[in-house]
Amino acid sequence: QVHLVESGGGLVQAGGSLGLSCVASGSPFRLNAMAWYRQAPGKQRELVAAITREGKTNYADSVKGRFTISRDNAKSTVYLQMNSLKPEDTAVYYCNANLNERFGSRADDYWGRGTQVTVSS
């Protein structure tokens, strides 16, 4: 069974950097688009950045120029490098992947459990 496992969250001062990783365990047959979302207390979950299998990216306006999403298909891993962090970036960050778990199975969305990122002022 496929699971998404995030790592790399933590506490950082404003202006600092953090890197997040998310690996799709269980050897999925095919990873399609992958993305990072975040949810701050009292707010809706929002898209932070997404990347296609071919490497095309898009970002929320609030993180453009500061965050970089990348992926390694051979390692079934997606990354999020976050620079120039601001207190408003504080949230739980969730990994999302659209994938085919087995050959011939339909593509479904999977979610990680989330990792906390806290930016202090």
Side-chain angles (χ1 to χ4, degrees):
Q1 190 172 7
V2 174
H3 296 281
L4 300 183
V5 181
E6 301 109 335
S7 60
L11 173 65
V12 65
Q13 287 189 333
S17 298
L18 275 178
L20 305 181
S21 300
C22 171
V23 60
S25 65
S27 300
F29 172 72
R30 178 183 171 91
L31 280 171
N32 303 309
M34 303 184 79
W36 288 95
Y37 286 74
R38 68 186 180 187
Q39 187 166 19
K43 295 188 176 181
Q44 289 189 329
R45 190 173 297 190
E46 63 175 358
L47 175 67
V48 176
I51 185 168
T52 67
R53 180 173 177 82
E54 296 75 22
K56 184 177 179 180
T57 60
N58 69 282
Y59 297 90
D61 288 342
S62 59
V63 307
K64 281 181 182 177
R66 300 188 298 122
F67 290 11
T68 302
I69 188 170
S70 61
R71 63 190 287 168
D72 185 333
N73 290 334
K75 296 181 179 180
S76 298
T77 302
V78 64
Y79 306 94
L80 185 68
Q81 179 62 40
M82 304 182 291
N83 299 327
S84 301
L85 283 160
K86 304 175 181 180
E88 50 263 43
D89 294 318
T90 296
V92 178
Y93 284 69
Y94 296 91
C95 176
N96 168 267
N98 181 272
L99 60 89
N100 302 82
E101 187 164 350
R102 302 176 304 280
F103 175 76
S105 66
R106 70 177 188 182
D108 279 326
D109 274 346
Y110 288 70
W111 291 88
R113 292 186 175 185
T115 184
Q116 177 70 46
V117 171
T118 302
V119 184
S120 63
S121 57

